[in-house]
Amino acid sequence: MADRGRGSRGGPGGRGRGRGGGNPPPGADKQRREAILDMAKYVDQRIRVKFMGGREVTGVLKGYDQLLNLVLDEVEETLQESGVQRRVGLAVIRGPQITVLSPVDGSEEIENPFASEG
C-alpha cells in the first residue's frame, strides 16, 4: 500500500514519539508553584488526621509525598463511639482518604458557633 505520510497509530508523520512525547505544554518551563501546605515543617511533630468516614488518628509525622500519603509513627486511633484510644504503632496513610490535617500542638477544640441552642 502506498505510504500516505501517517504514523503507525494514525498520528502525523510517524515520528515515533509515542504517548506523552512531543512538545512540552505552554508554560512548562515556568517554576513549579509552591505547595499550599508545607508539610516539611510538621516532620517529627505530632499531627491529627481525620479521614473520610469519621476515623481520627494522631501520630508523629515521619514522611510524606506529593499525593499527601503520610507515614506516621506512635499512632493512636480515637474510637468515635466510646472515645477510647487504641495504639496502632507505625502506619502508612493514603492521601485521598484524608479530610483534615492539623498539628496537635498549638490547636484547641472550640465550641461550634453554628450549633443551634435549645
Side-chain angles (χ1 to χ4, degrees), residues 37-56:
L37 181 60
D38 183 19
M39 294 296 295
K41 64 184 176 185
Y42 298 113
V43 173
D44 291 327
Q45 291 190 15
R46 198 153 192 83
I47 62 171
R48 174 175 288 118
V49 181
K50 292 185 181 183
F51 300 96
M52 291 191 310
R55 287 185 177 220
E56 181 178 333

Side-chain angles (χ1 to χ4, degrees), residues 10-30:
R15 294 184 197 109
R17 286 188 264 179
R19 181 175 285 194
N23 297 331
D29 57 341
K30 293 181 183 178

Side-chain angles (χ1 to χ4, degrees), residues 6-17:
R6 292 186 182 167
S8 62
R9 294 197 148 212
R15 294 184 197 109
R17 286 188 264 179

